Amino acid sequence: MHVPDVSVVVIVYNDAERLPTAVQSVLDQTLHGVEVVIVDDCSKDRSYAIAQELEAAHPGRVRAFQLPQNSGGCGAPRNHGIKQATGAYVMFLDSDDVLERNACRNMLDAAERTGSDLVSGMCVRVHLDNRWGKTTEWYPWIYARTRTLESITEYPDLLVYDTLSTNKCYRREFLLEQGLEFPVGIHYEDLLFSAQAYVAARRITLIPNHVYFWNVIEKAAAKSISNRRHEIENFAHRMEIHRRVDELLAAKGHTEIKSAKDAKFLKHDLVLHLRDLPLVGDAYRQEFARLANGYLAGIDPAAYGHVTNLQAICAYLLGKEDWDNLLPAADAMTNKGRLTSPLAERDGRVYWCAAHLDDAEARRILDVTDQGFDTTPLTSLTLGNRLTSYEDDGRGTVTLSGAVVNPLGRIRPETELKASLEFRARRQIGVRSFSFPVATVRHAGDTIEWNVTADIGSTVRPLGIIDAVWDVRLKLTAGGSRLTTRVSVGGVDLEKAARLRVRPRLTRLVSDRFEPEVTKKGNLSYVLTAEGAAAVRTQTLINSAMHGKAAGVVKRGLRKALRTRRNLGSGEQKVKVYHEVFSKLPIKKGTVVFESHMGKQYSDSPKAIYEEMVRQGVPFEAIWSYAGGKPTGFPKEATLVRRWSWPYLRALAQAEYWVDNQGFPLALAKRPGTTYIQTWHGSALKRMGFHEPRTKAQDRAGQLRFQAAVDRFDHFLIRSEHDARTLAKGFRLRDEVLLRTGYPRNDALVAAHRSEAQSGERVRGPLAGEFGIDPEKKVLLYAPTFRANADGAVEGFEFPFDVEEFADRFGDRFTLLVRTHYLNSVTLPPSVAGRVIDVSRHHDITPLLALADGLITDYSSVMFDYAVLDRPMLFFAYDYEKYATDIRGTYFDLKEKAPGPVVATADELLQALAAFDEADAKYAEARQRFLTEFGEYDRGDAAARIVEKFFTRSGK
């Protein structure tokens, strides 16, 4: 009989519907030598019958077993599966999840190639109830590259963070020799089993491949074990498993792993349960404190140095069982950025609360002075708002009372107060909100108390189905400050609250009740439901409308009824109104619309021009475009308009000037009376415009649309004649359009270089302090370009070198700043904290360039800007041949002109970093040649020249 390569143990309990899909994901593996071992944990439904049917349908490939009685967990069925498995390797799969199609092949290849006892790949959480198809990679930085460990001590983060058993492939002989089994009768069995396997394995291999898809339904009616955190037994099991893992680590002498695990416990495990504390009763809290504090007593004190301020505060207050101050802290941790405590001030310092301040350790932990709560404008703070009472009349009227935090009494007693309570549909169809005036709102020391009676039944008019969830907000006006807060439920019991009658706009068969609900963040909301004779039928309709096959039919009907309103906001309609209405309005002299990177940032040359206009006192009306939700970092003096909104379209139509660095929407024609200044965002190594293969491949209509878009440019800024030969030709621009001024964004770099050359000193500026950079260390900036395939689709960013190895080898010498392209994002492992810093959210790269003592890049145009500073550069071109030929093509051979070492492998990169100082002098002449060729017009006065030419009277 042929022995399978891999046995996949599929465990199931009362999951007959999903079991076939899980099993099929194994049968569909590209590795054919795979068997399925189904173990049913004595289900009450047809799970075992389905398993037997699968066995009969796939003889020799599927075998089915059933435990004589239910074990209540995953341990017993998995252990039975290990005993029944015949493959050389064993994997585990839950009946509600699936394997990636190549999982078995990839893991077997890695195991056979390296001789590892254990191979682990990346797990992906699939959020089934997310309508956008959200997926989340499980600790992706652990699996950034293939690596083989001779011991878990080489990479403690693996044991600390990836505690799953299901994304792994185990050599069966290894499991049997070591006697490895899952604990039975206790939850969180994966944590202990994985730890035991990690510690016992003689060799472990990690692969950067997706292997396991973990299906998650956040709003499932029957919560999984990991989602039943409000049950105290659940927490007791977690504590017991952690104690057993600690005993294992202590027995093996792994003290460093224990310390890292303690930090993760404080940051993750404890936090998961602390978030539930405002929603549970006193009995639960008392038992929770007993269990938690018993374990916290054995935590390594050094672990507290790796947690956030709020996490340390919660742990301390839990130790004191100070519920009055702990519960607001737990609420703040759940709702990031929310200030839930009134704070206290002593001797010029600000503390989370007034209690315990006679103790020096408490003062250290509770000190929140650096958070700036006392100086940040009230309108920029998100104040906690706790529900204090909830009453209803059993029909359609509800009376709510609450208290808004008044930090440090900043809302003075004499301040006039007004408020309204808003019910707002979470999914907006047009604007769906209803407000009620708050009858009583008054000062009460540390809080602002409020009380309101809302006749929901006769006022709130839901459509039904699409607007099924409604959030509650209090809008408070305190003098000149307008504050909006969510209402957290706190300890108010809503179990006995009535379902309020509402008047639906469609029909009572759709929904006729508002049921109060606590969101997963502890806030008050209402959910549409129904009751009475049609309750069952109605609820089925709502559920199917939200999640089932009927959703399309129902939603299409509603959308049809609202088509007129919706079409008014469609892209096609907006373009039509822009050209036929807004473009007929008069041009507003002195109006300038600025945009950077399609509204994503306040940065780059548009920012430099704007600030120069402000500095010179030029009279003009500035309008800045922003993308997405609430704008951050944009100038308060300017008018802000959201990209593609009606105000944005009208502003573009009436502006005298457009200034941007990438491109205003292609579909919008520029009026003859508007001047378009295109600053662009970098000189070109890679081919651009009509030189790109992708643009060349477009049909004639597509090329004509692109040509019309670039023909809008009245002026195009360049830094050198290289730009004239490349960018300008790629966009088919006439020579008279080109402005040979250099880039305004580089004026600051030219000034920094001149100052350094004259004084002989490097001034790092405020950013170094903001990032906490050691003044004795040199700063390197890693700024790679974004990756796109041949079709132009952006590819995900993965580190092409081991940042942990960099931190270990050079962390005492360099601080590495990582700044990905704005289209990408990065995740850093906690082990490199302080030595490697993600600065990708710092939109304006110019100050980062000025801060850096050296640049590491690949093909990013940032190389041309950094050349102005005459500082060392390293080029990590690990995929140069592919990038230069297969994907985009380049205008010149980087290897010939690069003003610094060009390396192709991670080892070569690390060697070049070791010789960083030597390369500085070696490439000094090459840097000067590079700057002369690619930055000849960057003279430090670009912004001033632009302002003089277009915006001052002398220029005009």
Side-chain angles (χ1 to χ4, degrees):
M1 181 178 175
H2 177 68
V3 177
D5 294 312
V6 179
S7 295
V8 179
V9 177
V10 182
I11 63 169
V12 60
Y13 176 70
N14 289 350
D15 198 17
E17 183 178 350
R18 292 180 292 188
L19 176 61
T21 302
V23 171
Q24 194 62 45
S25 77
V26 184
L27 297 175
D28 289 342
Q29 288 292 298
T30 54
L31 178 70
H32 297 299
V34 181
E35 73 163 350
V36 184
V37 179
I38 305 174
V39 183
D40 174 60
D41 197 11
C42 198
S43 296
K44 297 177 182 179
D45 68 352
R46 295 192 69 252
S47 292
Y48 185 52
I50 295 293
Q52 291 176 310
E53 292 171 9
L54 290 167
E55 180 180 40
H58 304 279
R61 294 201 68 192
V62 178
R63 292 184 291 136
F65 302 89
Q66 185 178 47
L67 299 186
Q69 60 185 25
N70 178 252
S71 68
C74 302
R78 286 178 181 161
N79 291 339
H80 190 76
I82 295 172
K83 293 175 183 177
Q84 298 298 334
T86 61
Y89 294 87
V90 177
M91 295 174 62
F92 302 106
L93 173 64
D94 293 345
S95 61
D96 54 348
D97 300 328
V98 293
L99 292 182
E100 195 277 334
R101 190 164 181 265
N102 300 292
C104 292
R105 177 180 297 279
N106 288 334
M107 300 182 94
L108 176 67
D109 287 349
E112 295 289 86
R113 185 178 68 253
T114 62
S116 293
D117 291 327
L118 188 161
V119 176
S120 189
M122 193 183 300
C123 172
V124 180
R125 284 168 60 94
V126 181
H127 301 265
L128 296 180
D129 52 351
N130 181 276
R131 66 180 184 272
W132 308 116
K134 176 183 175 183
T135 61
T136 309
E137 292 180 337
W138 190 253
Y139 297 115
W141 43 268
I142 292 178
Y143 298 98
R145 64 177 179 84
T146 300
R147 68 167 81 190
T148 297
L149 313 173
E150 300 298 326
S151 167
I152 189 61
T153 57
E154 295 179 18
Y155 195 40
D157 280 358
L158 181 59
L159 182 147
V160 171
Y161 288 94
D162 187 1
T163 57
L164 302 178
S165 66
T166 48
N167 59 334
K168 297 170 176 61
C169 181
Y170 311 83
R171 191 182 299 274
R172 187 164 63 90
E173 288 185 2
F174 160 68
L175 296 179
L176 298 177
E177 288 173 1
Q178 296 294 328
L180 291 178
E181 291 187 339
F182 289 87
V184 177
I186 188 170
H187 302 325
Y188 302 105
E189 55 277 297
D190 271 23
L191 275 72
L192 181 58
F193 182 84
S194 296
Q196 291 171 331
Y198 286 141
V199 170
R202 287 157 296 199
R203 184 171 293 162
I204 301 168
T205 294
L206 310 181
I207 60 175
N209 307 84
H210 292 171
V211 299
Y212 193 92
F213 294 111
W214 175 5
N215 292 326
V216 180
I217 302 177
E218 294 287 351
K219 298 177 182 178
K223 292 292 187 181
S224 67
I225 290 170
S226 59
N227 282 332
R228 298 202 299 263
R229 294 189 298 270
H230 62 283
E231 299 173 5
I232 194 63
E233 183 184 10
N234 188 281
F235 184 64
H237 285 197
R238 187 188 286 270
M239 291 296 91
E240 177 58 27
I241 287 291
H242 273 285
R243 287 191 184 90
R244 295 187 192 183
V245 175
D246 290 348
E247 290 171 0
L248 169 69
L249 297 177
K252 298 295 183 179
H254 295 325
T255 55
E256 288 188 7
I257 299 180
K258 168 65 165 62
S259 181
K261 176 182 168 296
D262 285 347
K264 192 242 185 177
F265 176 83
L266 293 172
K267 294 164 64 174
H268 175 73
D269 301 78
L270 184 62
V271 166
L272 287 176
H273 292 269
L274 284 172
R275 288 172 173 169
D276 294 328
L277 287 183
L279 307 177
V280 297
D282 290 339
Y284 177 100
R285 292 172 188 161
Q286 297 301 326
E287 181 63 10
F288 175 81
R290 185 186 69 81
L291 292 168
N293 289 332
Y295 185 78
L296 289 171
I299 291 284
D300 182 355
Y304 285 91
H306 299 282
V307 302
T308 67
N309 198 186
L310 199 54
Q311 288 164 353
I313 288 172
C314 284
Y316 176 84
L317 294 173
L318 176 61
K320 297 295 184 181
E321 297 189 37
D322 181 355
W323 304 111
D324 289 341
N325 290 305
L326 172 58
L327 296 181
D331 184 14
M333 201 154 46
T334 303
N335 295 276
K336 189 176 181 181
R338 181 181 293 180
L339 177 57
T340 56
S341 173
L343 307 176
E345 189 171 7
R346 300 287 188 278
D347 301 323
R349 306 296 295 177
V350 178
Y351 300 93
W352 180 258
C353 59
H356 318 293
L357 296 184
D358 55 342
D359 176 64
E361 178 69 3
R363 290 195 300 274
R364 183 184 67 79
I365 294 173
L366 298 173
D367 193 326
V368 293
T369 307
D370 293 341
Q371 303 293 318
F373 293 133
D374 55 333
T375 57
T376 301
L378 275 176
T379 51
S380 298
L381 293 176
T382 302
L383 301 182
N385 183 1
R386 181 176 55 87
L387 194 65
T388 54
S389 71
Y390 182 101
E391 298 177 0
D392 61 67
D393 64 357
R395 297 185 298 276
T397 300
V398 63
T399 299
L400 307 178
S401 297
V404 179
V405 168
N406 183 10
L408 300 174
R410 293 183 59 186
I411 303 176
R412 307 300 299 171
E414 63 274 12
T415 303
E416 182 182 356
L417 303 175
K418 292 189 298 183
S420 63
L421 193 70
E422 178 188 63
F423 290 74
R424 188 176 185 86
R426 188 172 297 174
R427 293 186 66 183
Q428 296 288 295
I429 305 299
V431 178
R432 302 291 300 154
S433 65
F434 298 90
S435 294
F436 300 88
V438 173
T440 303
V441 54
R442 65 184 187 85
H443 297 274
D446 289 339
T447 62
I448 303 297
E449 294 182 350
W450 55 271
N451 177 273
V452 60
T453 296
D455 184 1
I456 293 175
S458 61
T459 306
V460 177
R461 300 294 307 280
L463 289 169
I465 303 178
I466 286 183
D467 56 351
V469 182
W470 292 66
D471 295 315
V472 181
R473 292 175 170 85
L474 183 81
K475 294 193 170 183
L476 173 67
T477 301
S481 299
R482 296 181 179 179
L483 314 171
T484 300
T485 66
R486 287 295 303 272
V487 180
S488 64
V489 174
V492 174
D493 185 6
L494 299 181
E495 289 293 325
K496 298 180 181 179
R499 294 180 174 186
L500 305 172
R501 295 178 182 175
V502 291
R503 294 192 301 154
R505 295 178 63 191
L506 296 178
T507 168
R508 291 182 184 273
L509 289 179
V510 174
S511 53
D512 63 356
R513 294 290 188 275
F514 246 6
E515 182 176 6
E517 181 182 78
V518 183
T519 70
K520 64 181 181 180
K521 291 190 174 184
N523 299 316
L524 178 63
S525 66
Y526 284 85
V527 178
L528 279 170
T529 183
E531 62 182 40
V536 174
R537 183 171 71 245
T538 303
Q539 199 58 50
T540 301
L541 172 62
I542 293 176
N543 290 338
S544 64
M546 294 298 290
H547 307 293
K549 295 180 180 179
V553 176
V554 177
K555 291 175 184 176
R556 279 195 297 272
L558 286 170
R559 287 167 185 157
K560 185 176 181 180
L562 297 167
R563 181 172 294 166
T564 302
R565 174 178 288 182
R566 190 192 74 246
N567 282 348
L568 189 60
S570 70
E572 181 180 353
Q573 188 71 15
K574 284 185 173 180
V575 171
K576 184 176 181 180
V577 172
Y578 171 85
H579 289 108
E580 296 182 4
V581 180
F582 291 161
S583 292
K584 302 296 190 291
L585 299 173
I587 296 287
K588 295 173 66 175
K589 293 295 184 181
T591 300
V592 187
V593 177
F594 296 90
E595 186 171 283
S596 179
H597 294 300
M598 295 185 290
K600 293 181 175 67
Q601 303 173 1
Y602 172 63
S603 65
D604 212 78
S605 291
K607 172 186 175 182
I609 293 172
Y610 166 78
E611 292 184 349
E612 178 65 18
M613 293 172 72
V614 172
R615 189 189 69 80
Q616 291 192 27
V618 175
F620 71 111
E621 181 185 354
I623 299 174
W624 269 94
S625 152
Y626 71 91
K630 185 177 180 180
T632 56
F634 287 83
K636 296 180 180 179
E637 300 79 11
T639 299
L640 305 184
V641 293
R642 183 168 52 82
R643 204 170 196 262
W644 272 112
S645 65
W646 292 114
Y648 173 81
L649 297 174
R650 180 164 182 164
L652 284 177
Q654 293 191 269
E656 184 179 8
Y657 290 95
W658 291 359
V659 179
D660 93 311
N661 65 352
Q662 193 156 344
F664 288 108
L666 302 184
L668 304 181
K670 180 185 69 68
R671 297 174 66 178
T674 300
T675 299
Y676 191 168
I677 303 172
Q678 174 56 257
T679 71
W680 203 239
H681 53 272
S683 296
L685 166 63
K686 42 193 176 287
R687 295 188 177 274
M688 303 294 292
F690 287 98
H691 294 163
E692 278 190 68
R694 183 163 51 96
T695 308
K696 288 180 179 179
Q698 284 183 337
D699 57 22
R700 178 168 176 76
Q703 291 193 354
L704 288 174
R705 285 194 298 270
F706 183 76
Q707 185 66 62
V710 297
D711 282 346
R712 296 177 301 174
F713 303 161
D714 294 299
H715 304 283
F716 188 90
L717 275 57
I718 62 173
R719 309 177 61 229
S720 66
E721 288 307 304
H722 166 79
D723 289 350
R725 295 189 300 270
T726 56
L727 282 172
K729 297 296 184 184
F731 292 142
R732 297 177 179 174
L733 300 176
R734 305 182 311 278
D735 188 72
E736 57 266 28
V737 172
L738 306 184
L739 288 181
R740 292 169 168 80
T741 60
Y743 282 169
R745 73 182 184 192
N746 288 342
D747 290 349
L749 300 181
V750 174
H753 176 61
R754 286 175 180 166
S755 174
E756 184 178 339
Q758 293 170 1
S759 67
E761 296 181 2
R762 284 268 284 112
V763 179
R764 286 188 162 177
L767 268 187
E770 181 180 327
F771 296 147
I773 295 174
D774 186 340
E776 300 301 319
K777 294 181 183 180
K778 288 189 175 181
V779 178
L780 298 179
L781 175 65
Y782 177 48
T785 191
F786 77 99
R787 293 298 196 277
N789 59 30
D791 296 326
V794 177
E795 298 178 345
F797 174 78
E798 294 183 1
F799 272 107
F801 62 93
D802 190 338
V803 289
E804 291 179 308
E805 185 176 359
F806 168 88
D808 291 341
R809 288 184 58 175
F810 301 108
D812 59 343
R813 181 180 170 193
F814 297 119
T815 296
L816 181 67
L817 307 180
V818 178
R819 208 272 192 176
T820 60
H821 190 276
Y822 72 89
L823 293 174
N824 295 128
S825 60
V826 64
T827 303
L828 293 174
S831 56
V832 303
R835 297 175 292 176
V836 183
I837 303 171
D838 179 16
V839 295
S840 302
R841 293 184 180 276
H842 196 93
H843 291 159
D844 194 354
I845 197 172
T846 302
L848 297 174
L849 296 175
L851 172 62
D853 297 290
L855 174 71
I856 305 171
T857 188
D858 42 20
Y859 325 111
S860 171
S861 63
V862 74
M863 68 176 79
F864 302 106
D865 303 288
Y866 195 74
V868 171
L869 293 164
D870 190 25
R871 297 176 191 165
M873 283 187 266
L874 273 171
F875 298 86
F876 187 22
Y878 58 90
D879 57 351
Y880 183 67
E881 299 304 323
K882 176 183 177 183
Y883 194 89
T885 57
D886 296 346
I887 297 178
R888 189 76 170 265
T890 59
Y891 285 117
F892 62 87
D893 189 342
L894 177 65
K895 295 178 180 178
E896 292 182 1
K897 294 182 180 291
V902 180
V903 297
T905 67
D907 287 340
E908 291 176 354
L909 173 65
L910 297 177
Q911 291 173 13
L913 288 172
F916 178 78
D917 293 331
E918 300 170 18
D920 185 1
K922 180 178 178 181
Y923 285 90
E925 291 185 9
R927 290 200 299 273
Q928 287 302 314
R929 290 196 300 270
F930 192 80
L931 178 61
T932 299
E933 181 172 358
F934 298 109
E936 59 185 302
Y937 301 134
D938 273 334
R939 299 164 186 158
D941 60 352
R945 291 175 65 187
I946 295 296
V947 173
E948 181 181 3
K949 180 176 180 64
F950 296 103
F951 301 111
T952 64
R953 293 189 177 184
S954 60
K956 297 175 71 172

